[in-house]
């Protein structure tokens, strides 16, 4: 299968995520390209792809709250070190990182803010304390309700190990009162040992 890459939509310690289109199809996908420096990193990247494949194949009801597996490839570039590339195609999920929505700044920008300013404010993005308590509780309730379905499905297979605001996307397809959350990036996932 061939894909046309468009824009970088995410960047992390191990790779880059692109918005892409599958050639011959009219739907957007996300392509994660992971550069593994050694055999351990290659195995971890392969595990992420295989985990998404297994969850997508067995559990359709959680598909709305995590990307759906499309296809992946794993290619070793150096057999001595075990280095290589893993390319993972998954459904494109709209929305933006929860931390950007909460704080008005990205995760990378958040890391550069002094501790005192994080605690006392205001944050550079200016969104700290801008939500009524009742609304904040409703958002948290929706977040936990939606992501608990993903955890329930994934837990017998693996643990995410990096659930944080930069690995949760938020979107409002039904308006501002009804947020939709999606858990992304299983790159630090580990086997639960219960298979």
């Amino acid at each position: 299968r061939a894909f046309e890459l468009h824009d970088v939509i995410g960047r992390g310690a191990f790779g880059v995520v692109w918005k892409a289109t599958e050639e011959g199809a009219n739907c957007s996908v996300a392509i994660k390209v992971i550069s593994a420096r050694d055999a351990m990193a290659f195995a971890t990247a392969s595990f992420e792809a295989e985990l998404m494949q297994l969850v997508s194949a067995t559990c359709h009801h959680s598909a709305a709250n995590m990307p759906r597996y499309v296809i992946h490839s794993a290619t070793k570039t150096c057999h001595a070190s075990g280095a290589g590339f893993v390319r993972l195609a998954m459904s494109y999920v709209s929305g933006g990182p929860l931390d950007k929505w909460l704080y008005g700044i990205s995760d990378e920008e958040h890391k550069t803010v002094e501790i005192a300013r994080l605690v006392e404010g205001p944050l550079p993005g200016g969104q700290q304390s801008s939500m009524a308590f009742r609304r904040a509780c409703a958002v948290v309730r929706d977040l936990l309700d939606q992501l608990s379905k993903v955890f329930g499905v994934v837990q017998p297979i693996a643990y995410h190990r990096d659930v944080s605001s930069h690995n949760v996307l938020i979107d409002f397809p039904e308006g501002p009162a009804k947020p939709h959350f999606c858990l992304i990036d299983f790159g630090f996932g580990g086997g639960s040992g219960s298979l």
Side-chain angles (χ1 to χ4, degrees), residues 37-40 76-84:
R37 292 182 287 270
D38 56 33
M40 178 69 84
K76 288 203 175 179
T77 56
C78 178
H79 289 286
S81 69

Side-chain angles (χ1 to χ4, degrees), residues 35-60:
S35 177
R37 292 182 287 270
D38 56 33
M40 178 69 84
F42 189 81
T44 300
S46 297
F47 177 78
E48 177 181 10
E50 292 161 5
L51 170 64
M52 289 194 70
Q53 182 178 18
L54 182 61
V55 170
S56 292
T58 58
C59 306
H60 303 289

Side-chain angles (χ1 to χ4, degrees), residues 2-195:
F3 300 91
E4 181 182 342
L5 302 179
H6 301 295
D7 302 308
V8 172
I9 55 174
R11 200 178 288 280
F14 298 103
V16 177
V17 181
W18 295 81
K19 185 173 182 181
T21 306
E22 185 171 4
E23 291 183 10
N26 192 23
C27 63
S28 294
V29 295
I31 305 286
K32 184 174 187 178
V33 180
I34 306 162
S35 177
R37 292 182 287 270
D38 56 33
M40 178 69 84
F42 189 81
T44 300
S46 297
F47 177 78
E48 177 181 10
E50 292 161 5
L51 170 64
M52 289 194 70
Q53 182 178 18
L54 182 61
V55 170
S56 292
T58 58
C59 306
H60 303 289
H61 64 276
S62 67
N65 300 101
M66 67 177 283
R68 191 182 72 261
Y69 172 88
V70 175
I71 193 168
H72 80 279
S73 66
T75 307
K76 288 203 175 179
T77 56
C78 178
H79 289 286
S81 69
F85 288 96
V86 175
R87 294 168 188 88
L88 170 61
M90 60 197 115
S91 60
Y92 172 77
V93 179
S94 61
L98 180 58
D99 54 5
K100 177 87 172 173
W101 182 77
L102 287 171
Y103 307 119
I105 57 176
S106 71
D107 179 54
E108 288 304 312
E109 293 169 306
H110 198 227
K111 291 175 184 175
T112 65
V113 178
E114 296 173 18
I115 299 293
R117 194 164 180 194
L118 286 174
V119 174
E120 298 167 14
L123 291 175
Q127 292 193 38
Q128 186 176 22
S129 302
S130 63
M131 189 182 305
F133 183 71
R134 172 176 254 151
R135 173 74 177 126
C137 290
V139 169
V140 171
R141 181 198 62 227
D142 290 343
L143 171 72
L144 293 174
D145 180 57
Q146 293 175 37
L147 294 190
S148 67
K149 297 169 187 161
V150 175
F151 298 137
V153 168
V154 173
Q155 185 276 326
I157 304 164
Y159 296 109
H160 189 285
R161 297 194 318 191
D162 192 20
V163 177
S164 58
S165 59
H166 62 275
N167 283 335
V168 174
L169 298 181
I170 184 170
D171 196 14
F172 297 90
E174 298 175 32
K178 186 101 171 105
H180 178 263
F181 297 97
C182 184
L183 183 63
I184 59 169
D185 195 357
F186 284 77
F188 284 123
S192 68
S194 59
L195 286 177

